[in-house]
Amino acid sequence: EEEEAESGGDESGGEELAFERKARKTVARMEAEAAEQASEQRGAAASFTMPTGPREEMPDIGTLKSRIADVVDVLGDFASKRQEGVTRVEYVSLLAEDLQQVYGYNGELVELLLQLFSPAEALEFIEASEKPRPVTIRTNTLKTRRRELAQALISRNVSLDPISKWSSEGLQIYESAVPIGATPEYLAGHYMIQSASSFLPVLALDPQPGQRVLDMASAPGGKTSHIAARMGNSGTLVANDFNKQRLPSLASNLARQGVRCAILLHADGREFPRLMGGFDRVLLDAPCTGLGVISKDPAVKAEKGFTDVQRCQQLQKELLLAAIDSCTANSAGGGIVVYSTCSIAVEENEAVVDYALASRNVKLVDTGLPFGVEGLTRYRSKRFHASLKHARRFYPHTHNMDGFFVAKLRKFSNDLPPGAQQQPPPSKAASKKKPPPPSKKRQK
């Protein structure tokens, strides 16, 4: 028996050694192939030379894309891959020109992207923005549960999956035999077709039953109905929108989803502290340039520029101060204001929140969102408050959802900080003028 055991052990050991030898050969082959591929890439990068002289004829798209990849590769390791006598500025200038030609962006927007991202990440963002984001729906928990909704849709030959662990309400739709916006479940208000990123501001707001909540820019009602569901249809929800033409769709969506705690209002958000106040929580999903939803509105990449960003920034600052002034610090745990945009521009996000931190007695707190890129505390020559790291950024190339920004502020005093002034009411001319519209394809 001992001999058989020894023999079996030797045989087993022999088989294991043979397996290990085979594995080592496989790993060695894969490493050699990877090294060869890397060598080819280095050779291609090394062989890339900057075009010289006047460029009378524009190369075809395939050639331009190849050149973009080459330039991005050189800029990723500039010290060792640069062509002698060619500066980084010249490489970046060529990259910007080629990106405009291939993807249809205007020069200002390409410049903004190259200031915000590295060349490689800017290209990833641009390419991701060329593809549609996944179709997602939010379960209306006032009428059904996600499991029941999923079963009902599956029975109608809808292919779907839960969005992710961070959402207990979202479903991602892959294929549907019927239009997803015309099912009996949709018409009965069991779900809302809504981008995944637009769930995030409400999750950060975390409204509670019985509270007094303001949605300052609410149409067409995706976030508003989400707030109502989170409140269990109890308390008071004021749903405001500046654009009177959007109120019918807002009213229709809220009625379809069985929202009973909402009061609809048509007013300039900047007037709110004088209209009503004392809210426990305020959501400001601000009008913006829509630089995060280019996949839904391709016109943005050709039409939006620095002027649009600056114009939106001024309105966003005024609206955010109004949102803070409409909130009360006397609420249990302090008043909460959530500021969000579907733009990736720092000027519309961190710069606006940093302005509010200096102008009101508020502080940034953790959003409670389990993922996302930290907000920026420095951008080019600008330095922002260190607490802006608590804000969250979301990108199409990183999270496969629309570009979004979410910041959560807690108001700790109703008094103004020293040197701050109460926001003056908007002039009649400004009140009559519509704020810059968000992206046409933007989903609320």
Side-chain angles (χ1 to χ4, degrees):
E1 291 179 358
E2 289 180 358
E3 288 179 358
E4 289 178 0
E6 290 174 2
S7 175
D10 290 340
E11 185 177 347
S12 175
E15 290 177 353
E16 184 176 0
L17 289 172
F19 174 79
E20 288 178 345
R21 284 195 297 272
K22 186 177 180 180
R24 281 197 295 271
K25 289 180 180 179
T26 301
V27 171
R29 188 184 76 253
M30 293 175 65
E31 289 177 346
E33 290 174 353
E36 184 179 355
Q37 185 177 5
S39 177
E40 290 176 356
Q41 291 176 346
R42 285 194 297 271
S47 63
F48 172 71
T49 56
M50 288 283 286
T52 57
R55 297 193 288 274
E56 297 179 357
E57 293 186 5
M58 184 61 61
D60 60 79
I61 296 298
T63 302
L64 287 175
K65 284 188 173 182
S66 177
R67 190 162 73 185
I68 287 172
D70 289 337
V71 173
V72 166
D73 183 65
V74 171
L75 290 171
D77 187 9
F78 189 68
S80 61
K81 295 182 178 181
R82 60 176 294 189
Q83 181 180 330
E84 187 176 352
V86 181
T87 66
R88 185 180 185 87
V89 171
E90 290 175 292
Y91 277 106
V92 172
S93 177
L94 177 63
L95 175 62
E97 182 181 327
D98 288 350
L99 289 173
Q100 293 174 59
Q101 293 295 328
V102 172
Y103 298 100
Y105 282 70
N106 66 64
E108 289 186 355
L109 191 48
V110 168
E111 183 180 345
L112 185 149
L113 293 175
L114 291 174
Q115 289 172 353
L116 180 61
F117 300 120
S118 68
E121 191 172 5
L123 179 58
E124 288 177 8
F125 173 87
I126 289 172
E127 290 182 337
S129 296
E130 294 294 300
K131 305 170 186 174
R133 303 276 72 77
V135 176
T136 53
I137 62 175
R138 177 184 54 78
T139 307
N140 178 18
T141 54
L142 293 175
K143 291 194 172 186
T144 188
R145 293 184 298 179
R146 183 168 70 172
R147 178 178 295 180
E148 295 170 352
L149 175 61
Q151 290 172 347
L153 292 177
I154 289 171
S155 71
R156 299 188 189 281
N157 294 322
V158 178
S159 176
L160 52 79
D161 267 328
I163 283 183
S164 188
K165 293 181 180 179
W166 60 265
S167 172
S168 61
E169 302 151 323
L171 291 168
Q172 180 171 331
I173 308 299
Y174 298 106
E175 291 180 336
S176 178
V178 294
I180 203 66
T183 65
E185 288 75 21
Y186 175 82
L187 298 174
H190 289 193
Y191 64 88
M192 184 81 171
I193 302 173
Q194 197 172 340
S195 63
S197 55
S198 67
F199 294 17
L200 303 172
V202 178
L203 296 180
L205 187 68
D206 192 24
Q208 300 298 311
Q211 288 186 329
R212 198 162 181 256
V213 180
L214 168 63
D215 186 354
M216 189 172 273
S218 57
K223 296 182 184 68
T224 311
S225 56
H226 194 183
I227 292 171
R230 288 269 165 168
M231 295 171 67
N233 238 347
S234 67
T236 302
L237 171 57
V238 175
N240 177 70
D241 204 87
F242 180 82
N243 189 338
K244 191 174 183 179
Q245 282 68 43
R246 303 184 79 190
L247 291 181
S249 65
L250 171 61
S252 174
N253 281 323
L254 296 185
R256 182 173 57 83
Q257 295 186 78
V259 174
R260 298 190 304 272
C261 63
I263 301 170
L264 272 62
L265 199 63
H266 163 52
D268 188 329
R270 295 168 291 181
E271 293 278 9
F272 248 89
R274 284 166 287 278
L275 292 174
M276 62 179 76
F279 291 98
D280 299 302
R281 310 210 170 191
V282 178
L283 172 62
L284 172 58
D285 187 41
C288 66
T289 55
L291 299 184
V293 291
I294 293 173
S295 62
K296 290 192 178 81
D297 187 5
V300 168
K301 60 186 180 183
E303 296 174 357
K304 301 295 183 180
F306 292 130
T307 302
D308 302 284
V309 170
Q310 294 299 327
R311 186 170 64 249
C312 281
Q313 182 193 59
Q314 181 57 39
L315 175 63
Q316 289 157 351
K317 287 179 177 179
E318 294 175 3
L319 286 171
L320 182 52
L321 291 191
I324 294 169
D325 291 343
S326 301
C327 188
T328 177
N330 300 328
S331 177
I336 296 294
V337 176
V338 167
Y339 174 80
S340 64
T341 74
C342 60
S343 174
I344 59 167
V346 175
E347 293 83 358
E348 297 183 75
N349 296 319
E350 285 88 351
V352 173
V353 175
D354 190 67
Y355 171 79
L357 291 173
S359 305
R360 294 294 185 267
N361 282 318
V362 292
K363 62 180 180 180
L364 271 167
V365 295
D366 185 60
T367 60
L369 302 173
F371 68 109
V373 178
E374 287 187 357
L376 304 178
T377 56
R378 56 174 57 198
Y379 173 68
R380 304 181 71 196
S381 62
K382 298 175 182 176
R383 300 294 179 267
F384 302 122
H385 196 279
S387 63
L388 268 156
K389 66 181 181 181
H390 293 307
R392 286 293 177 268
R393 287 176 154 266
F394 303 91
Y395 299 124
H397 63 287
T398 304
H399 308 104
N400 196 23
M401 59 174 60
D402 292 334
F404 233 78
F405 175 85
V406 180
K408 184 174 183 177
L409 301 112
R410 185 185 301 277
K411 186 174 183 179
F412 57 85
S413 173
N414 291 324
D415 298 327
L416 294 178
Q421 295 181 351
Q422 193 73 33
Q423 184 168 267
S427 65
K428 291 183 179 179
S431 297
K432 291 180 180 178
K433 184 180 179 182
K434 291 183 180 181
S439 171
K440 296 176 183 176
K441 298 292 184 181
R442 183 179 180 184
Q443 288 184 332
K444 297 279 288 185

